[in-house]
Amino acid sequence: MFRVGKFSRIARVTIETLRHYDAIGLFKHAKVDPFTGYRYYKADTNTSSDSGPGGRWIVARGD
């Protein structure tokens, strides 16, 4: 699993965009660390976004 910063680089979206998607229920994180509040994303997370004309696919494949 990746923290939000690493995952944002893999998915080529900003951290703010990932947080926004989470807030509106479009794209959810895998878990949140109860002590730090860090969001974690799985390497095989997929979603589509209607944020612009034609939408955009976020597909992240980790190492």
Side-chain angles (χ1 to χ4, degrees):
M1 288 213 265
F2 301 100
R3 288 190 2 201
V4 67
K6 175 74 173 176
F7 189 80
S8 74
R9 288 188 296 279
I10 293 168
R12 296 186 199 171
V13 297
T14 65
I15 292 170
E16 291 79 16
T17 298
L18 287 175
R19 289 179 179 153
H20 172 71
Y21 289 167
D22 183 39
I24 64 172
L26 181 64
F27 188 74
K28 291 291 186 181
H29 53 269
K31 76 171 198 168
V32 176
D33 184 293
F35 299 106
T36 64
Y38 289 149
R39 295 176 180 153
Y40 289 88
Y41 293 84
K42 290 184 179 181
D44 62 350
T45 302
N46 300 334
T47 191
S48 64
S49 161
D50 296 327
S51 61
R56 176 178 178 175
W57 278 97
I58 298 174
V59 179
R61 300 282 180 219
D63 25 38

